[in-house]
Amino acid sequence: MSDQLFQEVYKLCTPAEKRFLKACYVEQLSGAEIARKEKVSRQSIYKWRKAVGKKALYVIGKGEDMDYTKALKK
């Protein structure tokens, strides 16, 4: 993920998703390591990953024809 894309996605994220992004891309931790660090289930990590992925797709333009709020709720 480029620095610019990271920053744009980061702005759209919830606090938990921001911690996930930092742990994943800056600290380069695995999903299991992030789950232990954040004291959450791996299922929570998968949800954060999915939400961040949708936001990234929106930022890079795949969601141009989508309503932003609907795109993020799916």
Side-chain angles (χ1 to χ4, degrees):
M1 181 181 288
S2 73
D3 289 341
Q4 183 179 3
L5 177 59
F6 182 93
Q7 293 300 324
E8 290 298 316
V9 172
Y10 190 84
K11 290 178 195 175
L12 300 175
C13 289
T14 66
E17 292 165 355
K18 287 178 180 180
R19 291 191 309 273
F20 167 79
L21 270 177
K22 283 183 180 179
C24 188
Y25 293 103
V26 176
E27 299 172 33
Q28 297 185 344
L29 300 177
S30 69
E33 291 169 325
I34 297 168
R36 280 194 299 274
K37 178 183 176 185
E38 292 293 322
K39 296 182 173 85
V40 297
S41 68
R42 286 179 31 197
Q43 184 178 4
S44 293
I45 299 302
Y46 299 139
K47 286 180 184 178
W48 294 344
R49 180 180 294 146
K50 183 177 180 180
V52 169
K54 286 182 180 183
K55 291 171 184 177
L57 287 174
Y58 182 82
V59 168
I60 62 174
K62 301 247 185 222
E64 290 175 342
D65 59 338
M66 297 170 24
D67 175 26
Y68 173 73
T69 55
K70 287 182 183 177
L72 300 181
K73 289 182 182 178
K74 292 183 181 177

